[in-house]
Amino acid sequence: MRPGRLHLLDDGTAAPFARFVAELEAQAPFDTVALEPDRSGASAADLEAGQLGWAWRVVDEYRSALRFTELLGELLEAQAPFAALATVHRLIGDELRHARHCAPLPAAFGPHDHLRIELDGLGWQGPPRPPLERALEIVLRELVIGEGESIACLRAYQRAATDPAAARVLDLLLEDEVRHFAAGRHVEELLCERHPALRAFAASLEPVLLDDVRSIRGQHRADARGGPGRRYGVSIRLEEAPPAVPDVPPAPG
């Protein structure tokens, strides 16, 4: 991250923007303002791991905000029920908050002139589909599977973290992720109730969803190498990662 490169740290402090920023931040389940990791007694390797780990979390949360925004566009085009629109609108705000909560941490670990966080090319890469099918695919792959799979791994990092600031932000992410997974299930069911033909489409996605689970867990396990950064919630051991093979194939509904 280079100074001024990460726009999430730019408040836009003019009065018209401050109101909206405050309203969005007020939706957080609890406050994480002005939290900084405790660097005392940390090794250089711990600080470097903490900086890189939290930089990657900024990217992950920003990616979710972007993809949920694309989901909202598909739902609007498909004239989805207001309840689904309102739910996804709220989730976008949550993910923006998450990126914002994570953004200060990489710089707080020390000099960061060498670190550049790129937020380009994070949009949805799925195949072209009619709006309702595309919306349901994003719901299933990004909310039900993506958010659902992140819960177990976030819990592992949360349990590993001993730094109060890192643990606090992980608590916030985890609380919202649990709610997002449940919201995804509700939106899935609402769409399928209103459009029963979508159930067959959802069933056709089961192999893709299973591949997503395998890929996500495989990446989590590849990252679970132990080592520096555990105190800052960015390092876990392999035995703490989710199992490599899901217990049951994920199925919509």
Side-chain angles (χ1 to χ4, degrees):
M1 185 202 312
R2 294 184 180 170
R5 175 67 177 87
L6 190 59
H7 66 282
L8 293 165
L9 297 177
D10 178 10
D11 283 327
T13 51
F17 301 108
R19 167 191 169 187
F20 296 107
V21 170
E23 288 175 354
L24 180 59
E25 290 181 344
Q27 293 178 356
F30 47 80
D31 186 19
T32 62
V33 173
L35 288 177
E36 287 195 7
D38 180 5
R39 300 170 58 193
S40 60
S43 68
D46 274 324
L47 296 175
E48 181 181 15
Q51 187 173 70
L52 290 174
W54 282 98
W56 276 113
R57 286 205 173 107
V58 174
V59 175
D60 287 341
E61 300 300 331
Y62 197 83
R63 178 190 294 112
S64 293
L66 179 57
R67 293 186 178 180
F68 295 169
T69 299
E70 293 174 302
L71 169 59
L72 182 59
E74 298 292 344
L75 291 171
L76 284 165
E77 187 173 346
Q79 301 179 42
F82 180 76
L85 301 176
T87 299
V88 175
H89 179 270
R90 173 59 192 266
L91 300 189
I92 294 167
D94 288 350
E95 297 296 345
L96 284 173
R97 282 194 295 97
H98 293 177
R100 167 80 170 192
H101 291 306
C102 295
L105 288 173
F109 284 101
H112 54 277
D113 289 347
H114 64 290
L115 185 64
R116 185 182 183 107
I117 298 178
E118 294 290 353
L119 299 175
D120 303 323
L122 300 177
W124 176 251
Q125 302 297 319
R129 302 187 188 279
L132 272 174
E133 290 187 359
R134 186 173 169 90
L136 184 58
E137 182 177 11
I138 298 174
V139 167
L140 291 172
R141 298 184 68 183
E142 296 290 329
L143 275 172
V144 176
I145 298 301
E147 300 289 275
E149 285 297 311
S150 74
I151 292 171
C153 205
L154 272 177
R155 282 184 176 141
Y157 284 108
Q158 178 199 44
R159 287 192 291 266
T162 56
D163 176 77
R168 183 75 166 169
V169 178
L170 285 167
D171 286 345
L172 182 144
L173 299 182
L174 182 57
E175 184 164 331
D176 279 345
E177 297 289 271
V178 170
R179 187 164 51 84
H180 291 185
F181 168 76
R185 283 297 194 195
H186 292 317
V187 172
E188 171 199 353
E189 189 57 34
L190 178 59
L191 292 178
C192 289
E193 282 179 358
R194 296 293 182 92
H195 306 277
L198 285 176
R199 294 193 184 278
F201 171 69
S204 75
L205 291 176
E206 288 183 20
V208 176
L209 302 181
L210 185 55
D211 283 345
D212 283 350
V213 173
R214 287 175 173 149
S215 175
I216 292 168
R217 294 194 186 185
Q219 187 59 58
H220 287 328
R221 293 178 66 81
D223 291 340
R225 299 184 297 267
R230 183 177 179 85
R231 66 186 284 185
Y232 297 120
V234 299
S235 173
I236 57 174
R237 296 183 287 269
L238 182 59
E239 63 269 21
E240 298 170 309
V245 179
D247 297 328
V248 293

